[in-house]
Amino acid sequence: GSCRGNSVERKIYIPLNRTAPCVRLLNATHQIGCQSSISGDTGVIHVVEKEEDLSWVLADGPHPPYMILLDGNLFTRKVLLQLKGTSRVSGLAVAMAKPSPSQGFSPGLKCPNDGFGVYSQDYGPEFAHCNTTLWNPLGSGISYEDFDFPIFLLEDANETQVIKQCFLDHNVPQDGAGPQYPLCAMQLFSHMHAVTSTVTCMRRSSLQSTFSINPEIVCDPLLDYNVWSTLQPINSSGKVDPQKEVIMVATRIDSHSFFWNIAPGAESAVSSFVTHLALAQALHKAPDIQQLPRNVMFTFFQGETFDYIGSSRMVYDMEQDKFPLRLGNIHSFVELNQVALRNDSILWMHTDPVSRMNESVEVQVRNLLDQLSRSSTGSSVTLQEAGFSQPLPPSSFQRFLRARHIPGVVLTDHRTAFQNRYYQSMYDTPENIRMEYPEGLSPEETLEYVTDTAKALAEVATVVARALYGLAGGTNSTSAIQADPKTVTRMLYGFLIKMNNSWFQSIIKPDLKGILGDVPQHYVAVSSPVNTTYLVQYVLANLTGTVVNLTKEECLNPEKTPHTDKDLFDYSWVQGSLAPNSSSRVPLCVRSGVRLSKALSPAFELRHWGSREYSTWTESRWKDIRARIFLVASRELELLTLLLGVAILLLSLLTTYFINAKADLLFSLPRDPGAVAY
């Protein structure tokens, strides 16, 4: 016959599969984030949709501790600090607000990366700690608080509805009195192994690695790779001539939010690095790039959200002669920051007022600003100076200025405070930068549809590319230098909406197919390279490289192939596009100058875990992160069940004892009546 089984656990628990936890991060002095107890935290669910609902949780409710299902619009510093100060709350599940909160939401700091930029008591003290300009006034700082209970984001509206229905069926108060058992409860597991600070957790991990055969590491440094390339190829294993001048173009490629691995970063990161990629492609269209007196370096920094991990490492490597370029090679610096939310099509040019007091630097900065302004003539982009008394916004350029007075400019869509109302939050999505598509488009049609945002960013890319051509010494017409809106719209779709699309599939290596997840995230993480880094690397190679006629074996082993130069170029065997009317791809070999360099803070290289000079951010390890709901009985019923179980156990033991004691009598064989006794 047929046998059927059913899990008892599935009858009791409903797992919540689409959640994102708040996890613990640590730096030299603090721990931030959230964690549960080692066995998970449990509480009776209470839905809080307005502030008045909190009174039941904090004072009136008879069944603490409570697990709160919080409306996304109430996920504020004020509410969280109320919940943090009570033992009546065991955890928090946050429902995404749709639409995004109209008042804005930024869990980051009001003064991002404070203390790790160029301004200090010794350099521009009047600008230190955002004294002149508060860059992120909406920043609540909750991402940098420490919570001793778990906080999870509910990503699936259907799961949120299941929890609400369970609450309505079992937990709604009756006429001001507590509901009757059974009650709907939630359990959250997110126990973190690291505590106190990076100094403590790295010391413990180091001791484990030294003395244990099976070390249990408790935290890992945030790390990844920077992506870089040059207009004219350079020897990656050698050193650039000290007399050769290079213009550095930079942007960041990472973002962050309150919840782990939820970092869409549409305005804070993606708008700028997509523009950067587009201008790199546009500049390569100039016919005389190999004859330009100056080279141009395209740099994409990783980990900048966490006290400039990528840029500080590149500066350190340049100072230590571990990079092909030295700081002395840098002629000038152009950085693209947040550039998508332009009012009246204005792009602001920020410079450093302290270094401009040096006459030679001032002359070069003025030339840089004039070149950018001239390049915008005839375009829809208006470039304006932010003002001589205005400091630099949080930017990678600040780390280079700490090492050397370099002429530079940071381009942003804001003169003072950020226009981005969702900086470092889960709401910094395509909608935030006004990416809109007609209804009814297929995924392939959406990929190719040129949005107004793509057109605007392509205009910015064109202006900056033409300015760079002039700065590099170009004298010919710049009409050929034109960013492609279609390429920009493809990149925006891939980096913000769906990574697993036909274009991204065609430009990556076959063994990297697994990195193409559906929902793009741009958190730096602890495993490297992350998906964003790989994709920026291969998009840049696709846009600036050339297809070469090499076989797969020759492409994968260029050092064994004549007429190839592995020191000047990188060779990648990529999947290629689908053949016409076929499901098979036509692979090809792409030659480019794209390289990766470490984005690990020098603090970990030097083992200075308490450094105030370099980033010291680490991420705690954990074993289990999950969430589930179930019905819980009253304490009385649980106690009665326990007592009955104990009574049955004792009765069983007593019965077993007596049966064992009388075993001879109870289980002896009857005497054979036919046997004769003598």
Side-chain angles (χ1 to χ4, degrees), residues 32-47:
I32 63 171
C34 324
Q35 77 155 354
S36 72
S37 62
I38 195 166
S39 56
D41 288 326
T42 305
V44 173
I45 295 172
H46 191 76
V47 176

Side-chain angles (χ1 to χ4, degrees), residues 103 111 145 276 303-304 334 416 421 436 490 566 584:
Q103 71 276 15
C111 187
E145 292 285 340
H276 190 169
E304 295 300 274
V334 178
T416 53
R421 294 178 299 129
E436 297 174 350
R490 283 177 166 186
K566 193 165 174 58
S584 60

Side-chain angles (χ1 to χ4, degrees), residues 123-403:
Y123 188 99
E126 67 273 25
F127 305 125
H129 313 300
C130 297
N131 286 334
T132 304
T133 304
L134 198 61
W135 295 107
N136 187 29
L138 291 176
S140 64
I142 57 173
S143 282
Y144 295 85
E145 292 285 340
D146 183 38
F147 298 94
D148 59 0
F149 53 79
I151 303 178
F152 278 53
L153 176 69
L154 300 173
E155 299 181 72
D156 188 346
N158 292 329
E159 289 188 344
T160 303
Q161 192 54 45
V162 167
I163 299 170
K164 286 184 177 180
Q165 192 59 50
C166 190
F167 167 79
L168 292 172
D169 291 344
H170 300 279
N171 294 10
V172 176
Q174 305 293 332
D175 300 322
Q180 299 297 311
Y181 284 98
L183 299 175
C184 191
M186 183 185 294
Q187 190 172 29
L188 302 178
F189 297 84
S190 62
H191 181 66
M192 301 287 131
H193 294 178
V195 295
T196 309
S197 68
T198 289
V199 176
T200 302
C201 79
M202 289 300 291
R203 185 178 65 243
R204 290 177 178 174
S205 296
S206 179
L207 287 171
Q208 284 272 344
S209 300
T210 304
F211 297 108
S212 175
I213 297 174
N214 297 308
E216 185 169 334
I217 308 301
V218 295
C219 69
D220 301 284
L222 295 181
L223 78 155
D224 202 73
Y225 287 90
N226 299 321
V227 182
W228 63 275
S229 176
T230 52
L231 191 62
Q232 301 164 356
I234 63 173
N235 189 334
S236 62
S237 60
K239 291 286 181 289
V240 173
D241 188 311
Q243 303 306 313
K244 182 66 175 178
E245 292 182 326
V246 178
I247 301 161
M248 180 173 277
V249 193
T251 191
R252 66 175 59 189
I253 58 174
D254 69 298
S255 187
H256 179 46
S257 80
F258 186 88
F259 298 99
W260 181 74
N261 217 25
I262 300 293
E267 161 71 341
S268 60
V270 177
S271 68
S272 57
F273 76 70
V274 162
T275 305
H276 190 169
L277 289 164
L279 75 86
Q281 181 193 32
L283 196 51
H284 273 78
K285 293 176 182 177
D288 59 340
I289 56 174
Q290 299 306 322
Q291 287 76 48
L292 295 176
R294 299 187 185 100
N295 204 347
V296 179
M297 179 176 173
F298 310 102
T299 316
F300 300 81
F301 291 121
Q302 184 61 277
E304 295 300 274
T305 304
F306 295 95
D307 300 336
Y308 306 119
I309 293 173
S311 55
S312 63
R313 179 53 186 261
M314 184 169 283
V315 171
Y316 174 80
D317 286 344
M318 287 180 176
E319 291 176 325
Q320 301 297 316
D321 272 348
K322 296 179 178 178
F323 196 79
L325 271 70
R326 301 172 181 86
L327 288 169
N329 290 116
I330 301 176
H331 169 268
S332 52
F333 199 105
V334 178
E335 180 169 353
L336 290 162
N337 213 306
Q338 303 177 68
V339 294
L341 300 175
R342 305 197 317 279
N343 282 338
D344 302 321
S345 298
I346 295 174
L347 209 57
W348 295 95
M349 300 182 289
H350 298 263
T351 56
D352 173 41
V354 180
S355 62
R356 288 182 70 179
M357 293 178 185
N358 180 299
E359 189 175 342
S360 64
V361 173
E362 166 63 17
V363 170
Q364 289 177 286
V365 170
R366 177 48 53 194
N367 176 53
L368 180 57
L369 297 175
D370 291 344
Q371 188 70 55
L372 282 163
S373 297
R374 284 195 299 271
S375 299
S376 66
T377 304
S379 76
S380 63
V381 181
T382 304
L383 285 161
Q384 293 188 15
E385 292 184 51
F388 190 83
S389 60
Q390 178 83 4
L392 287 169
S395 52
S396 306
F397 180 40
Q398 293 199 32
R399 291 302 301 195
F400 285 80
L401 277 177
R402 283 177 71 133

Side-chain angles (χ1 to χ4, degrees), residues 475-495:
T475 56
N476 294 331
S477 169
T478 58
S479 58
I481 302 174
Q482 182 77 41
D484 181 13
K486 187 173 180 180
T487 302
V488 174
T489 210
R490 283 177 166 186
M491 290 191 283
L492 288 173
Y493 179 82
F495 285 113

